[in-house]
Amino acid sequence: MEPNLSIINQSAHYGLNLGQKLGSVLAGLGMLLLSLNLFGVQFPSSFGFLILSLVLASGGILTYAWYTYNGHSAGIKNNGVWFNSLSNRGFWGMLSAVLITGFYVFLYFMPQYLGQGQNGAANSGLIAFFDPLSQFLKKQPASQWFVYGVLYTLSILAMGLKFIWKYRHNRYQVLRTCSVMFFQTGIAFLLPEFMQRLNQPYYDFKNMWPLDYDFFEKGQMDYLLNSGGVGLFMIVFGVAMIFIISPVLTYFYGKRWYCSWVCGCGGLAETVGDPFRQLSDKSLRAWKIERWLIYSVLVFVVIMTVAVLYAIFHQNPAGYYVTRDLFLVLVLAIFAGLGLILWLRPKYLQQIPRSVKITASSIFALIIALTTLAYFTNNPNVFFIPADWLKAWYGFFIGAIFSGVIGVGFYPLMGSRVWCRFGCPMAAILGLQQKFFSRFRITTNGGQCISCGNCSTYCEMGIDVRAYAQKGQDIVRASCVGCGICAAVCPRGVLRLENSAIDVHTRAEAVRVIRLDLEKGATL
């Protein structure tokens, strides 16, 4: 206990202790070794120095975390977050944004400056530094994506352990962090690399359309179909993920089963992005922008996918099991069915504004009409634009710029879920299912709320959780990823993540407020 309440007391300064400084130095040395390769520095043993640099970087993070949380009681640990230059858009935060954004620009558009060999040439620089590890895992030279995968996975592992120490008082946070660490390391990174070593297709079993927008691309399907039974299984599994596995899991658990427990984008946001979660914009204006952007991206990816698939099946290629006629029937059935659901007005869709229904139905009708027109005119371009153009535009603007450069590079500026909140089409689809068809909700006990605002401050999706808690209203938002941080940082236990089938269609309607009946003339 510190009895001195003076604001100039030295204990009020959030500086680094000796252990944190040691961790910072170790991590800095590891990053220095990696960075030196960009300038052509050659080490005597590249594999040994690679392992040393990765161990120093991850060991520094763990050392820093240990001396930050060890010896302190478990509980809310966001002390001084608004006084830290890194996490309050200060100098170090701005510098971090520039460096991360710059790295992504080089990774996506100029990999040759990272050392990627061109036209069959050997790698050099940073990418050559990872060649021994790549040869060990899959017997192939490294690429920029292999380097990215290693750094991505190591970041989630190291920062995941830091996250677990920070939120060790909350069992839910520990379990879901272990889950994203497992899926990223085992399923997204190691399994595909080992499969390539065995001359099997590279495939991330946890990734699915529309997040994996290349899944229905002709080159990808040919690659899998030509791989025999294993490739065919991957296609069947991917389709089952879209139409069966994902809807069923979302009905029972909401979108959190994917966005907070499985997805690599969410895993990076929850671990590496944790220091920046409070920077998400909670304003109504941001909420409006969010809805327009994310559903526009969803419409874009649907149109692009329909165009790409129709262009493929228009040629009726052998071995695809789907003909042009069958594809037209599938498009008519899917979009006509969605349109009917909107206008039949079942109980769980009554709250959708009429303007939204009209817009959605118009898009469905347009897709059906243009697909039918292309069929009868024998035109391979459904939307009068070559499908390859649509895919290239989507890949550049959404797949690279939005999800990569902005989605991660803007962590220190806009919070850790920039991509998930404003652009991810997978989050958009799962959000719609969660809003209208899921048993998931965050329940509130308004009588216990003291309006501290922790829940709203640390909601990475920009939801004003406190406003719901003050009204005693369950939180059922399409954007909520069910990370549970709002409940973890609540000092009164007001919030709980629950699943129930009792009132799926009316979850968001009840407002349980405290009412005081005062006699005429009485005062509080």
Side-chain angles (χ1 to χ4, degrees):
M1 180 179 295
E2 174 56 62
N4 187 353
L5 299 180
S6 171
I7 62 173
I8 63 171
N9 183 30
Q10 185 178 0
S11 64
H13 173 66
Y14 294 100
L16 300 181
N17 59 42
L18 182 60
Q20 291 172 321
K21 293 177 181 178
L22 174 61
S24 300
V25 170
L26 292 176
L29 287 175
M31 296 305 297
L32 177 62
L33 291 178
L34 289 174
S35 301
L36 287 175
N37 287 271
L38 295 173
F39 302 100
V41 175
Q42 299 293 326
F43 294 103
S45 172
S46 58
F47 186 70
F49 273 87
L50 172 64
I51 299 301
L52 176 62
S53 63
L54 298 180
V55 169
L56 284 174
S58 56
I61 294 173
L62 298 180
T63 301
Y64 182 95
W66 177 261
Y67 283 98
T68 300
Y69 305 115
N70 186 50
H72 298 276
S73 60
I76 303 169
K77 290 291 182 296
N78 287 305
N79 305 350
V81 68
W82 289 111
F83 299 94
N84 191 320
S85 176
L86 178 65
S87 57
N88 70 357
R89 301 190 185 96
F91 172 79
W92 290 111
M94 301 297 289
L95 181 62
S96 299
V98 171
L99 293 177
I100 298 173
T101 302
F103 172 75
Y104 269 82
V105 170
F106 281 101
L107 180 76
Y108 276 94
F109 307 115
M110 294 176 284
Q112 65 272 19
Y113 293 108
L114 299 178
Q116 179 68 57
Q118 302 295 307
N119 301 319
N123 293 327
S124 60
L126 179 64
I127 295 180
F129 197 39
F130 284 78
D131 274 341
L133 181 60
S134 180
Q135 292 286 355
F136 173 76
L137 290 177
K138 59 180 180 181
K139 296 184 177 180
Q140 295 179 18
S143 66
Q144 78 265 39
W145 303 119
F146 178 80
V147 174
Y148 180 54
V150 173
L151 298 179
Y152 197 103
T153 302
L154 192 65
S155 297
I156 288 181
L157 288 175
M159 295 298 289
L161 290 174
K162 177 181 180 294
F163 187 93
I164 289 174
W165 283 336
K166 179 178 180 180
Y167 293 100
R168 62 188 183 276
H169 67 289
N170 190 292
R171 183 171 178 266
Y172 180 81
Q173 299 303 324
V174 174
L175 290 177
R176 77 179 184 89
T177 305
C178 290
S179 174
V180 296
M181 291 165 65
F182 164 76
F183 277 101
Q184 174 58 37
T185 306
I187 306 301
F189 180 65
L190 290 179
L191 181 59
E193 300 296 338
F194 285 145
M195 292 186 68
Q196 284 196 301
R197 184 185 180 93
L198 299 174
N199 295 319
Q200 296 297 330
Y202 183 95
Y203 186 77
D204 180 358
F205 282 92
K206 71 173 181 53
N207 206 3
M208 61 177 170
W209 183 91
L211 185 61
D212 180 14
Y213 60 90
D214 282 328
F215 180 74
F216 291 113
E217 195 264 335
K218 187 177 188 303
Q220 174 70 3
M221 287 198 292
D222 288 343
Y223 171 61
L224 294 178
L225 287 173
N226 293 333
S227 300
V230 174
L232 181 60
F233 169 77
M234 291 173 178
I235 292 178
V236 173
F237 179 79
V239 173
M241 281 282 287
I242 300 168
F243 295 105
I244 301 175
I245 299 174
S246 176
V248 170
L249 290 176
T250 304
Y251 170 74
F252 283 105
Y253 305 108
K255 66 192 289 186
R256 59 176 172 158
W257 80 267
Y258 190 77
C259 296
S260 287
W261 287 69
V262 173
C263 179
C265 300
L268 191 72
E270 292 294 336
T271 54
V272 176
D274 179 63
F276 312 109
R277 63 172 58 250
Q278 70 280 352
L279 300 178
S280 60
D281 192 341
K282 282 44 173 210
S283 67
L284 288 175
R285 178 173 175 271
W287 188 17
K288 292 178 181 179
I289 295 174
E290 167 194 326
R291 287 177 290 177
W292 276 105
L293 272 180
I294 196 168
Y295 294 119
S296 296
V297 173
L298 177 60
V299 171
F300 190 0
V301 74
V302 169
I303 290 175
M304 181 269 292
T305 302
V306 171
V308 168
L309 285 176
Y310 184 84
I312 294 173
F313 297 132
H314 179 268
Q315 305 169 4
N316 287 322
Y320 269 61
Y321 306 102
V322 177
T323 64
R324 186 180 66 155
D325 296 345
L326 179 57
F327 180 69
L328 176 64
V329 172
L330 291 174
V331 170
L332 293 175
I334 292 173
F335 290 103
L338 291 173
L340 286 175
I341 290 176
L342 285 174
W343 287 103
L344 288 177
R345 297 179 64 84
K347 186 175 182 180
Y348 43 75
L349 292 178
Q350 287 180 354
Q351 294 183 354
I352 297 180
R354 182 179 176 84
S355 60
V356 175
K357 290 186 178 183
I358 293 175
T359 302
S361 299
S362 300
I363 293 172
F364 297 159
L366 182 64
I367 293 176
I368 291 173
L370 292 178
T371 306
T372 305
L373 178 63
Y375 176 83
F376 285 108
T377 59
N378 201 32
N379 186 349
N381 302 319
V382 175
F383 302 103
F384 307 105
I385 300 175
D388 291 341
W389 290 14
L390 288 173
K391 183 179 181 300
W393 293 343
Y394 185 90
F396 178 78
F397 290 107
I398 309 301
I401 297 296
F402 204 160
S403 70
V405 177
I406 295 177
V408 180
F410 280 33
Y411 276 9
L413 304 179
M414 300 176 62
S416 56
R417 288 274 189 171
V418 181
W419 162 245
C420 308
R421 181 183 179 186
F422 293 99
C424 179
M426 188 76 242
I429 287 182
L430 296 180
L432 291 174
Q433 296 176 21
Q434 175 173 274
K435 176 73 173 179
F436 300 110
F437 306 104
S438 174
R439 303 179 0 163
F440 172 72
R441 85 286 309 278
I442 299 178
T443 59
T444 62
N445 180 359
Q448 292 291 325
C449 180
I450 59 174
S451 298
C452 67
N454 275 358
C455 53
S456 294
T457 297
Y458 296 106
C459 177
E460 58 195 349
M461 298 304 291
I463 301 173
D464 188 2
V465 181
R466 178 174 57 180
Y468 290 89
Q470 289 173 334
K471 294 182 290 186
Q473 186 177 10
D474 291 350
I475 302 168
V476 183
R477 283 270 288 270
S479 59
C480 177
V481 294
C483 68
I485 292 295
C486 57
V489 299
C490 178
R492 300 280 291 173
V494 172
L495 306 163
R496 291 179 61 87
L497 281 69
E498 297 183 0
N499 300 300
S500 174
I502 297 176
D503 57 346
V504 169
H505 309 315
T506 59
R507 292 167 297 161
E509 297 176 3
V511 178
R512 296 175 290 275
V513 297
I514 301 174
R515 302 181 184 276
L516 298 178
D517 295 326
L518 302 178
E519 297 181 1
K520 185 177 181 180
T523 59
L524 286 176

